[in-house]
Amino acid sequence: MKFNNKYLQKTSTFINSIIAVVLCGFLILLSGNLIDDVGKWKEIPELEEFQNRKVIVQHEEKIQGLNKQINAWIEKKASVQQTINSAEKKYQNAKESFDNWLKTRETIGSPSEDQEVLKRANELDAYFKTQQEWEKELLTMNDSIDELADKRDVIKALIHKEDVKAREKRTLAFRQYHMKVFLIRLSIILPVLLLGVFFIIRFRKHKYWPLFLGYVLFSFYAFFFGLVPYLPEYGGYIRYSVGIVLIVLFGIYAINKIRSFIEKKKKELEISTEERAKQVLAETAEKALEKHMCPSCGKDYTVKGWDKTLKKNNKTQTYAMITDFCRFCGLELFKKCTSCGTVNYAHLPFCGCCGNSISENKEHEECSNGSS
């Protein structure tokens, strides 16, 4: 007789799961610092390492000198602008005074003041000429400032060119750095992952499987969180390629498993119902009974309300809508106990009413059939 305690089995499964998860957690904590510090084993390339500092410093000194000259010209320009504003104001005041004086002269009509007219006109011309000279000086200053600014822009372009070269070199060095870090991670995590796969293949039925399972969970965590996020990108091709390979491998494994299961079921259905009944395990039968499934073909054996092909029999209300045999594969599902006559699920070990062994009932029937 096989030991069968569903509550104890569930408790055992729960405890084993806790053991595996806790062990996995401690392994993750133990290896976390090591995996996180891998990036510090190699120095991260900095931009300054690839810059021609001597040339850049020379260019920057030239720019500083040009900036000083530009600032000096700007200060002079501000002073000249103030002078121009003052000259323009004097010119406007003198012109306004001259215009008023002309109106007064026309009213009085004194021809003796022609010399005064010439004098005032000459003063206006002098003010205007002074203003024009300062404006020319201002234009010259603007040209000088623009020329210095152009020189400064040329030097800035040279600095930018040096910066672009340095960034290109740093990008290449950064890729090499990431590749080195990835290879270090790979050299650490790949053996861990392979050992985890070996444990799955070799120790799935071992009594200490929860401990092995904890390590297996840790190995998968290390792979997916310690290695995959650090795959070199190169436009994403490597990551996508790894994803495709993993999906293909998993798909092949899943397809083969499904096909092998289907083939196994087909072969099981080819043998006689008596032989199939002997191969049904108590645990499988218990799960099948809970889900109203045939333990051999896996199909639902309950009679639906719309199914008129079978009528209700005289069984108890619990089994009022089921059949004694599976309608799809012919396996016997329910039978009467030879001791008390109670209908029981044929693949459980004991009668639910009298406790008599159902397996003994099977042997008794086989002997009776053989003797007859």
Side-chain angles (χ1 to χ4, degrees):
M1 181 182 69
K2 292 185 178 180
F3 177 76
N4 184 14
N5 189 320
K6 185 185 297 185
Y7 177 76
L8 185 58
Q9 288 178 348
K10 289 183 177 180
T11 304
S12 176
T13 302
F14 176 75
I15 293 175
N16 290 338
S17 301
I18 293 296
I19 292 173
V21 171
V22 171
L23 178 60
C24 174
F26 277 107
L27 288 173
I28 291 173
L29 293 175
L30 179 63
S31 63
N33 293 332
L34 174 64
I35 295 177
D36 293 339
D37 292 340
V38 169
K40 300 178 182 178
W41 294 2
K42 296 289 183 180
E43 293 185 1
I44 300 177
E46 300 294 340
L47 182 62
E48 290 76 11
E49 300 176 12
F50 306 96
Q51 290 178 334
N52 191 342
R53 294 303 305 169
K54 183 178 180 180
V55 174
I56 292 177
V57 168
Q58 291 177 355
H59 290 329
E60 289 176 348
E61 290 176 352
K62 290 180 181 179
I63 289 176
Q64 290 178 358
L66 292 173
N67 286 333
K68 289 180 180 179
Q69 296 181 41
I70 291 173
N71 291 332
W73 279 113
I74 290 174
E75 291 177 359
K76 291 181 180 180
K77 178 182 174 182
S79 177
V80 170
Q81 186 65 51
Q82 290 179 356
T83 303
I84 291 173
N85 294 336
S86 177
E88 184 178 2
K89 187 175 181 180
K90 289 180 180 180
Y91 173 76
Q92 293 295 335
N93 292 334
K95 188 175 183 302
E96 183 179 355
S97 176
F98 180 68
D99 291 339
N100 293 333
W101 182 81
L102 284 178
K103 291 179 181 179
T104 304
R105 179 180 176 278
E106 290 175 358
T107 303
I108 298 175
S110 175
S112 60
E113 296 182 355
D114 290 341
Q115 293 296 327
E116 184 67 22
V117 172
L118 293 175
K119 180 181 177 182
R120 288 177 177 266
N122 290 332
E123 289 179 355
L124 283 176
D125 291 339
Y127 286 140
F128 184 71
K129 186 177 181 181
T130 301
Q131 181 181 348
Q132 285 185 329
E133 289 176 354
W134 282 114
E135 287 179 352
K136 289 181 180 179
E137 182 69 19
L138 184 64
L139 291 174
T140 303
M141 290 182 177
N142 287 331
D143 292 338
S144 299
I145 292 173
D146 292 340
E147 184 179 355
L148 293 173
D150 291 339
K151 291 181 180 180
R152 183 180 61 183
D153 292 339
V154 171
I155 297 175
K156 285 184 177 180
L158 294 175
I159 293 177
H160 178 70
K161 187 176 180 180
E162 291 291 334
D163 186 68
V164 170
K165 290 181 180 179
R167 290 184 183 278
E168 290 176 352
K169 293 179 181 179
R170 181 182 179 273
T171 300
L172 180 60
F174 210 66
R175 286 184 177 180
Q176 294 175 352
Y177 162 79
H178 279 299
M179 179 59 72
K180 291 178 181 178
V181 172
F182 171 74
L183 292 176
I184 294 174
R185 288 178 176 273
L186 183 64
S187 63
I188 296 174
I189 295 175
L190 184 59
V192 173
L193 180 64
L194 293 177
L195 186 59
V197 174
F198 172 75
F199 285 164
I200 293 176
I201 298 173
R202 183 69 177 80
F203 297 106
R204 280 184 298 176
K205 303 298 183 180
H206 199 276
K207 64 179 180 179
Y208 294 120
W209 168 242
L211 300 178
F212 291 110
L213 178 60
Y215 180 86
V216 169
L217 294 176
F218 160 70
S219 66
F220 281 104
Y221 172 87
F223 176 74
F224 285 105
F225 293 94
L227 184 64
V228 172
Y230 298 91
L231 285 172
E233 292 190 1
Y234 295 106
Y237 296 121
I238 293 182
R239 291 191 177 187
Y240 297 149
S241 300
V242 171
I244 291 172
V245 170
L246 291 177
I247 291 297
V248 169
L249 293 177
F250 177 77
I252 293 174
Y253 173 79
I255 291 171
N256 290 334
K257 280 292 183 181
I258 293 172
R259 294 185 65 179
S260 62
F261 177 78
I262 294 174
E263 293 296 328
K264 179 182 177 182
K265 284 296 179 181
K266 287 182 179 179
K267 291 181 180 179
E268 287 181 358
L269 295 177
E270 290 176 357
I271 62 178
S272 63
T273 55
E274 291 79 6
E275 291 296 326
R276 278 188 283 137
K278 293 179 181 179
Q279 295 176 3
V280 176
L281 300 176
E283 183 178 356
T284 304
E286 187 176 359
K287 292 180 180 179
L289 179 60
E290 290 178 354
K291 298 180 180 180
H292 306 123
M293 293 169 51
C294 173
S296 180
C297 66
K299 294 185 178 180
D300 191 351
Y301 55 70
T302 56
V303 179
K304 309 300 179 183
W306 45 263
D307 195 339
K308 305 298 183 182
T309 58
L310 296 172
K311 296 181 180 180
K312 294 183 179 180
N313 50 29
N314 295 324
K315 297 177 183 177
T316 60
Q317 187 64 27
T318 305
Y319 304 123
M321 296 297 289
I322 59 176
T323 58
D324 291 333
F325 293 86
C326 177
R327 293 175 291 163
F328 304 99
C329 69
L331 183 71
E332 185 179 20
L333 298 174
F334 293 89
K335 62 183 299 184
K336 291 183 179 180
C337 175
T338 56
S339 299
C340 64
T342 303
V343 176
N344 288 275
Y345 192 59
H347 304 286
L348 292 180
F350 300 100
C351 174
C353 183
C354 67
N356 190 31
S357 174
I358 296 178
S359 60
E360 292 179 0
N361 293 340
K362 292 181 181 179
E363 294 175 358
H364 176 72
E365 289 181 357
E366 290 175 358
C367 293
S368 300
N369 294 333
S371 61
S372 61

